[in-house]
Amino acid sequence: MQLTGSQVIIECLKEQGVDTVFGYPGGAILNVYDELYKHPEIKHVLTSHEQGASHAADGYARSTGKVGVCLATSGPGATNLVTGISTAYMDSIPIVAITCNVGVSLLGKDSFQEIDIAGITTPVTKYSFIVKDVEKLADTIRRAFDIARKGRPGPVLVDIPKNVTADLVEYTRQEIKLPERVTETITDSDIDNAIELIKASKKPYIFVGGGVVLSGASKELKEFVDKVNAPVCDTLMGKGAYDGTSDNYTGMLGMHGTKTSNLGVSECDLLIAIGTRFSDRVLGNPKKFADQAKILQFDVDAAEINKNIRVTSSVIGDVKEILTRINKKLTQLDHNSWVEHVLAYAKTFPLTYHKEGLSGPFVIEKIYEMTKGNAIMVTEVGQHQMWAAQYYKYSKPRTLLTSGGLGTMGYGLGAAIGAQTANPDRTVVNIAGDGCFRMNMNELATASREKLPLIEVIINNHVLGMVRQWQTLFYEKHYSATVLDDGVDYVKLSEAMGATARRVKTQEEFEKAFADALKSKTPFVIDCIIDSDDKVWPMVAPGKPINESFDEEDYNATQGGN
């Protein structure tokens, strides 16, 4: 049948099973929005800003495992998506961004709101398309979804000139076949080498990254951990892939990881890294990282092998399939004495914070208690993000949504909108700092319009907390451009945008406010006033080995008790 390009776009979204899109209309994309108007089966969430749309698509994707979709018009509409696309790219999140451009005859002429968005996004997407011929439109959209899902997931952009959205073309519906898992790169010899390394190890440690979440391999990971009988640590992106309430779970690894994980990995003789890219925040000093250990890496992306750290052996392919094959061949091992040795560190060096007064760690622990660990936790970026990683126990995958690679301030509220839209019956909590909140707080208007019962918790220390922490520790307390004590009233702002809001200064006030938030049917903002100099402990100084992690007591000792 003959359809316009706009009709083809909508039909292709329906082919892919898309039920929700996030976006903001404009001149170049009007034909698409006119067609979308006729299809109420696809829910459109109008965000307050295109960046909010891209973060919402990301949060939708992270919380469901489906491809998130966002729409924007040409020029600034398209460029406003770039931060969200980059965020998804760094964390391997499948989204498809559809933009529309000026007509083909106007391309390259500096036309009004013309921009080469495909060129701009090429470095931060798996692929960027511009479709100048309506005959290629349907296949390009199908290919975009396939690329976004396949192998290591990631964002794809499709830019469509306005005339293409109006041109007619013959369209035939296709049944979509989801891409198969990457298995052709998994060899028997690599599997056997991995098993030999594991069997020869006396002190193995299992290090879990976001790839386990993306591949849906939590069940296989649990079986593998039980067979190896080893302690487990994770990255920020790996939270929930392994049950954080398990006895042999030792917490996050790296700059703000636990002393237990950092010391244990520094002593192990085999580090089994699963679906992780060895970021600089994990490695500390790469020359001294796990320097007593052989390193075995499982990853779907061959480019990650030997990129940041030299490994002894690797298996390349889908993590779920790799673990399935290893589990079939691996016999039960006994490393009880090693596990007990590592867990002794947990008793000696537990995560601690000052119990009096309102603080970030208290807020996170209380949220965990009051949600019974069943919330979808979303964060912005900074101290509050680290506290959310440290003090909430993630027992299931896709329950912590956070910008790990790009570290995008302003990510959380949009992502929480995406997660709440996709999971209407779940409790969704966004943890923000006051610096992050002010970046995209306009999305509260979106949450209010959509009547989303998400809970926004602002850890308000009136400063850019993490930057101030570095200024305190490494820059002689030169607080350059990090003080935010400017009289902005977040409660009034939130109420003005249709949310319920409370300001709390004590533990008791927070508990009462959060209990009310859990019963709310609309957005609820809690402005938590904490001390400006609260810090995230422990910490590894930049460039230092991870076994030189220090906490508040260590720091005060080096400062003569000050």
Side-chain angles (χ1 to χ4, degrees):
M1 56 181 166
Q2 287 270 307
L3 298 181
T4 66
S6 294
Q7 291 173 319
V8 168
I9 292 168
I10 300 304
E11 292 303 318
C12 285
L13 292 180
K14 290 163 63 176
E15 282 181 2
Q16 299 293 332
V18 173
D19 54 21
T20 306
V21 297
F22 305 87
Y24 204 99
I29 201 170
L30 269 180
N31 289 336
V32 177
Y33 270 84
D34 188 60
E35 190 60 32
L36 189 61
Y37 179 84
K38 305 167 190 173
H39 290 272
E41 66 271 28
I42 299 178
K43 178 180 177 63
H44 178 272
V45 177
L46 174 65
T47 55
S48 299
H49 189 280
E50 290 91 353
Q51 186 180 139
S54 58
H55 292 325
D58 177 300
Y60 179 98
R62 291 191 202 227
S63 65
T64 63
K66 301 176 183 178
V67 178
V69 179
C70 56
L71 308 177
T73 195
S74 63
T79 59
N80 283 342
L81 295 177
V82 173
T83 296
I85 291 170
S86 304
T87 300
Y89 182 73
M90 289 291 284
D91 292 341
S92 302
I93 305 304
I95 69 172
V96 170
I98 297 175
T99 59
C100 287
N101 215 322
V102 300
V104 170
S105 64
L106 295 175
L107 289 173
K109 297 181 179 179
D110 293 333
S111 303
F112 177 67
Q113 291 194 333
E114 178 197 357
I115 199 75
D116 179 13
I117 191 62
I120 288 171
T121 57
T122 293
V124 292
T125 54
K126 288 185 73 177
Y127 210 100
S128 289
F129 296 94
I130 180 166
V131 186
K132 298 179 181 180
D133 181 353
V134 72
E135 294 282 349
K136 299 178 180 178
L137 181 58
D139 285 344
T140 300
I141 293 174
R142 291 163 184 151
R143 189 178 171 202
F145 276 85
D146 188 65
I147 292 170
R149 294 185 182 108
K150 191 172 183 179
R152 182 178 184 169
V156 179
L157 178 126
V158 182
D159 190 37
I160 309 165
K162 186 171 183 178
N163 67 287
V164 174
T165 67
D167 292 344
L168 288 170
V169 69
E170 188 69 26
Y171 166 80
T172 303
R173 178 179 172 82
Q174 289 188 8
E175 291 299 320
I176 299 304
K177 183 180 180 183
L178 295 179
E180 295 181 357
R181 294 179 179 274
V182 177
T183 59
E184 64 273 11
T185 53
I186 305 173
T187 67
D188 289 340
S189 61
D190 285 344
I191 293 289
D192 292 341
N193 287 338
I195 290 173
E196 289 305 311
L197 278 173
I198 295 167
K199 290 169 66 175
S201 171
K202 303 296 183 186
K203 299 186 292 183
Y205 220 115
I206 297 172
F207 176 37
V208 178
V212 179
V213 175
L214 296 171
S215 69
S218 291
K219 178 183 176 183
E220 291 76 13
L221 174 65
K222 174 66 166 60
E223 182 181 348
F224 177 73
V225 170
D226 289 346
K227 281 196 169 187
V228 178
N229 184 216
V232 180
C233 63
D234 57 17
T235 66
L236 180 65
M237 301 306 301
K239 291 288 177 186
Y242 187 75
D243 187 347
T245 66
S246 297
D247 290 340
N248 62 331
Y249 173 72
T250 63
M252 196 162 62
L253 183 69
M255 179 173 282
H256 291 295
T258 63
K259 279 194 172 184
T260 303
S261 293
N262 286 351
L263 291 171
V265 166
S266 297
E267 292 180 11
C268 73
D269 65 8
L270 178 66
L271 182 63
I272 307 169
I274 309 176
T276 178
R277 60 187 178 85
F278 289 112
S279 79
D280 57 301
R281 290 299 173 101
V282 162
L283 294 177
N285 184 336
K287 294 181 180 178
K288 297 184 179 181
F289 177 78
D291 56 2
Q292 298 183 41
K294 295 179 179 178
I295 298 178
L296 173 62
Q297 186 174 4
F298 304 154
D299 204 283
V300 74
D301 188 353
E304 291 300 335
I305 309 301
N306 295 320
K307 185 176 82 174
N308 295 331
I309 198 81
R310 297 292 299 178
V311 303
T312 308
S313 188
S314 64
V315 185
I316 299 168
D318 182 83
V319 164
K320 185 181 181 80
E321 182 65 23
I322 290 170
L323 292 175
T324 297
R325 296 189 190 187
I326 288 179
N327 288 338
K328 288 179 180 179
K329 291 187 173 184
L330 188 63
T331 56
Q332 182 63 48
L333 303 174
D334 181 1
H335 298 112
N336 284 331
S337 60
W338 162 241
V339 173
E340 290 171 5
H341 169 77
V342 172
L343 295 182
Y345 283 135
K347 295 179 181 178
T348 305
F349 304 114
L351 287 173
T352 59
Y353 64 92
H354 298 288
K355 299 298 182 180
E356 66 279 1
L358 193 63
S359 68
F362 171 83
V363 166
I364 301 301
E365 283 197 334
K366 184 56 65 173
I367 292 173
Y368 176 74
E369 174 191 321
M370 296 180 71
T371 60
K372 299 179 174 58
N374 292 321
I376 295 176
M377 296 290 283
V378 191
T379 82
E380 305 286 352
V381 172
Q383 288 180 315
H384 59 278
Q385 177 190 33
M386 294 297 101
W387 287 323
Q390 292 173 330
Y391 289 97
Y392 199 97
K393 298 175 183 176
Y394 301 92
S395 58
K396 296 182 179 65
R398 303 193 181 280
T399 52
L400 174 61
L401 318 182
T402 190
S403 173
L406 196 63
T408 304
M409 294 175 68
Y411 163 82
L413 183 51
I417 288 170
Q420 189 74 84
T421 301
N423 303 273
D425 298 325
R426 297 285 299 277
T427 297
V428 176
V429 183
N430 182 45
I431 308 297
D434 49 322
C436 290
F437 178 65
R438 62 175 62 202
M439 287 197 169
N440 278 335
M441 60 188 174
N442 51 349
E443 294 304 337
L444 264 184
T446 305
S448 296
R449 187 192 321 109
E450 294 292 325
K451 295 181 171 54
L452 299 174
L454 62 85
I455 303 172
E456 177 85 0
V457 177
I458 306 170
I459 308 296
N460 187 352
N461 53 12
H462 295 99
V463 295
L464 297 177
M466 187 61 86
V467 184
R468 181 183 177 90
Q469 176 166 331
W470 279 54
Q471 288 173 331
T472 299
L473 299 179
F474 310 120
Y475 289 87
E476 300 179 351
K477 300 184 179 180
H478 296 164
Y479 300 127
S480 176
T482 51
V483 177
L484 303 177
D485 196 5
D486 48 15
V488 175
D489 190 327
Y490 296 125
V491 170
K492 289 181 179 178
L493 277 168
S494 300
E495 290 174 342
M497 286 188 278
T500 303
R502 303 269 181 83
R503 180 173 295 109
V504 300
K505 298 181 179 180
T506 68
Q507 295 180 357
E508 294 76 18
E509 287 175 347
F510 175 77
E511 187 168 357
K512 184 178 185 307
F514 195 78
D516 290 343
L518 287 171
K519 293 179 286 188
S520 178
K521 302 299 183 184
T522 54
F524 199 110
V525 178
I526 307 176
D527 185 18
C528 305
I529 309 302
I530 71 166
D531 190 272
S532 297
D533 284 310
D534 282 0
K535 294 179 177 62
V536 178
W537 302 112
M539 182 177 186
V540 177
K544 295 293 184 180
I546 60 172
N547 62 352
E548 293 184 17
S549 174
F550 63 95
D551 56 22
E552 184 176 23
E553 184 178 341
D554 298 326
Y555 174 71
N556 287 338
T558 65
Q559 302 300 305
N562 296 323

